[in-house]
Amino acid sequence: GVPDPEVLLQGVEDDELFGPRGGRSSDTLRIERCHRTCTTCFSEEECTTCEAGRYLNEEGVCSDRAPVGFCLDCNGSLGSCDEDCRECTCENSSSCEVCGAGRLLTPDMTCRLECPAGYYINSTEEIGGRCVKCAANCTACLSSDICTECTMDSVLED
């Protein structure tokens, strides 16, 4: 049967077993082991609380990766990223690490439709692209080695 929610199982090292905390002698719960990322659980597959730095997802699994559009702080709490951002840091939700499709990660760690002047689009990113600074003597470029506009003291060569 399903264990009483009041009776949780406590996680321990892999080589140790444990039983219900606060259980009565008449309890017939099986002695099981929590997954190593749980601090308490209903079963090995279903955590009820997680170790620090992890959050409890909808499936009852402790994860160290936040879902798309969210960040995970060191306490295991989820925070929202800014719009158009797939991954961000919780210290600053507007500091994006990966943008959504069709958006570019700019040098100020925000997601935009275009790169600022002096930057080109590196579209090798899996989801959104990243704005990368042009070479020192370029004010506009198509890539790291294709300059389309030079600084005043440089000459564009064919």
Side-chain angles (χ1 to χ4, degrees), residues 95-113:
S95 181
C96 193
E97 294 176 352
V98 177
C99 295
R103 301 293 177 170
L104 303 167
L105 186 61
T106 63
D108 65 356
M109 305 305 283
T110 59
C111 297
R112 303 281 182 247
L113 290 171

Side-chain angles (χ1 to χ4, degrees), residues 111-127:
C111 297
R112 303 281 182 247
L113 290 171
E114 296 178 352
C115 290
Y119 288 80
Y120 68 94
I121 300 169
N122 178 349
S123 59
T124 61
E125 302 292 323
E126 190 173 303
I127 305 295

